[in-house]
Amino acid sequence: MLFRSANHAIVNSYQYGVTDVSERVRLMLLGKMIENPVYDELRTKKQLGYIVFGFITEQVSVLELRVLVQGNKEGPDAMDADIETVIKDFGAKLHNLSQPEFLKWKGAVRSALYHKDQNMGQEADRYWAQIANDGHCFNRKELALQYLDTLHSAADVVKTFDTLLGERRKVSLKLFRSEERRVGK
């Protein structure tokens, strides 16, 4: 059987590094803020694919901004340029973020941090992540909420964003579609 894959994909990871509580909270804010611009621009406006995400994630103990796009409209190199444009535009808007907008995003992060585990599996996953990453900081939520209370303006978040992109610790994985592939018998 022949299988034809019409999709390209790209995953860009902008690595921040190992973080303390304050950096982690600021990156959480950035993650919340960048989700919609990435989706709106790359998925809705440019219609690059059905799979489009922008988010903050942890790889072992290293935090990173990750943008993922899968689709058939453009190749990975063009998608990479589109991702860079979205991030640049987001940075410009972030530098001009109003205080009411900042407080709205801060509230969104606070709400996420207050979210309780819904079942034993979620609780076990949360604790196991600390063990597996050798973090052993089982009160991260409480520490994050304490720091969030001391964060009064977007200035520190802007500095974190500038650090994230300033040192250009980007890893890019580009997957090019294959025109034809044999699958099965």
Side-chain angles (χ1 to χ4, degrees):
M1 172 194 304
L2 285 178
F3 174 79
R4 297 182 191 275
S5 175
N7 288 325
H8 297 289
I10 184 168
V11 179
N12 280 356
S13 295
Y14 303 86
Q15 297 179 333
Y16 187 85
V18 178
T19 60
D20 62 19
V21 172
S22 64
E23 293 164 323
R24 180 174 293 278
V25 170
R26 292 191 303 263
L27 286 163
M28 287 173 69
L29 270 163
L30 286 171
K32 287 277 186 207
M33 289 182 204
I34 205 162
E35 288 174 357
N36 288 338
V38 165
Y39 186 86
D40 291 345
E41 185 64 30
L42 301 177
R43 167 68 176 95
T44 306
K45 290 180 185 169
K46 291 196 167 271
Q47 298 180 354
L48 293 182
Y50 285 98
I51 299 174
V52 177
F53 297 105
F55 55 97
I56 296 292
T57 188
E58 186 172 18
Q59 191 70 8
V60 186
S61 59
V62 174
L63 259 66
E64 60 188 24
L65 166 63
R66 194 175 291 170
V67 179
L68 179 142
V69 179
Q70 178 183 338
N72 62 5
K73 188 172 181 181
E74 292 182 352
D77 293 330
M79 289 179 187
D80 188 24
D82 291 334
I83 291 168
E84 291 293 323
T85 299
V86 169
I87 290 174
K88 179 182 171 197
D89 293 346
F90 170 77
K93 289 177 183 173
L94 182 64
H95 279 84
N96 295 313
L97 190 68
S98 70
Q99 185 65 11
E101 286 176 296
F102 170 72
L103 293 174
K104 177 187 90 166
W105 288 114
K106 186 175 162 181
V109 169
R110 182 183 317 289
S111 177
L113 288 169
Y114 272 123
H115 182 76
K116 301 229 184 282
D117 298 323
Q118 299 300 302
N119 55 48
M120 196 177 220
Q122 288 178 351
E123 184 177 15
D125 287 346
R126 183 169 46 88
Y127 286 127
W128 183 250
Q130 292 300 315
I131 296 166
N133 290 333
D134 206 24
H136 301 238
C137 182
F138 300 105
N139 63 340
R140 268 190 182 175
K141 279 185 173 187
E142 293 81 10
L143 293 172
L145 284 165
Q146 287 174 8
Y147 175 75
L148 194 61
D149 287 339
T150 69
L151 192 58
H152 299 294
S153 76
D156 289 333
V157 178
V158 170
K159 286 179 193 173
T160 300
F161 179 78
D162 290 344
T163 299
L164 176 65
L165 296 181
E167 297 181 20
R168 305 303 297 173
R169 294 175 276 195
K170 174 181 157 184
V171 176
S172 189
L173 173 64
K174 298 177 182 181
L175 303 168
F176 295 85
R177 72 174 161 225
S178 64
E179 296 304 322
E180 229 173 68
R181 212 172 65 191
R182 286 232 178 255
V183 178
K185 293 183 179 183

